[in-house]
Amino acid sequence: MNRDEAAELQDAVGSALTERREFFRTAGIHREDGTYEVARRGADSSGNSKVFESFDALRRMFERLPAEFSAEDVGRTGITGSRRHMLVRHFAEHPTFDCTISRRNPLTAEKTSVDVEENSSGIEESMEEVEVAGAD
């Protein structure tokens, strides 16, 4: 393989590893390094995004949330400010997460799966282990 062919292959692999999906208010970015970024749609500053070690880390965070959860519940993971609300919206918008917005004030989502287990106790314990990447 010559240098030009290798460069084309490298570009193709990079594009395949990086994927951005936009939803109504949020976007999800699978980044080249394996991390997953949740961002406000159309925003361009790090104050409007949160990076997780992987998409699976975000999925585990969702699984640990109670059947009905708010930004306060998300905040127990150490995520602060408006990012908590952004994550509640992202969970409701992304098709992988089986939930919907049930109230707007305070912003609250409800898991819609029939198999949802009530998780009202022990939230603090399980939420401490969420893997959040160091850089936003």
Side-chain angles (χ1 to χ4, degrees):
M1 172 180 312
N2 67 36
R3 187 170 177 77
D4 290 335
E5 291 171 337
E8 286 179 26
L9 180 60
Q10 184 178 19
D11 288 342
V13 169
S15 296
L17 293 175
T18 303
E19 177 191 2
R20 179 183 177 95
R21 287 184 68 184
E22 291 196 356
F23 303 102
F24 183 63
R25 293 189 174 161
T26 65
I29 303 103
H30 290 274
R31 297 174 9 167
E32 220 173 308
D33 62 359
T35 59
Y36 183 76
E37 178 180 3
V38 177
R40 287 201 192 288
R41 185 172 176 221
D44 57 358
S45 74
S46 64
N48 293 300
S49 69
K50 192 65 183 169
V51 178
F52 293 85
E53 290 293 327
S54 66
F55 186 77
D56 285 338
L58 180 65
R59 187 187 327 258
R60 284 190 298 275
M61 177 182 169
F62 176 76
E63 290 170 357
R64 292 176 180 143
L65 290 168
E68 184 176 75
F69 61 93
S70 66
E72 182 178 328
D73 295 313
V74 172
R76 293 184 179 149
T77 66
I79 297 170
T80 60
S82 63
R83 292 177 186 159
R84 299 170 307 147
H85 295 88
M86 176 186 65
L87 284 169
V88 171
R89 291 193 185 284
H90 190 68
F91 287 136
E93 293 175 352
H94 197 290
T96 296
F97 304 106
D98 197 10
C99 74
T100 60
I101 299 293
S102 59
R103 283 195 307 267
R104 292 182 189 209
N105 193 8
L107 183 61
T108 305
E110 186 175 341
K111 293 180 180 179
T112 55
S113 174
V114 177
D115 298 329
V116 170
E117 209 174 282
E118 198 62 39
N119 183 15
S120 59
S121 63
I123 295 171
E124 289 88 15
E125 298 170 12
S126 63
M127 299 299 273
E128 291 173 2
E129 297 175 17
V130 173
E131 302 164 21
V132 178
D136 287 331

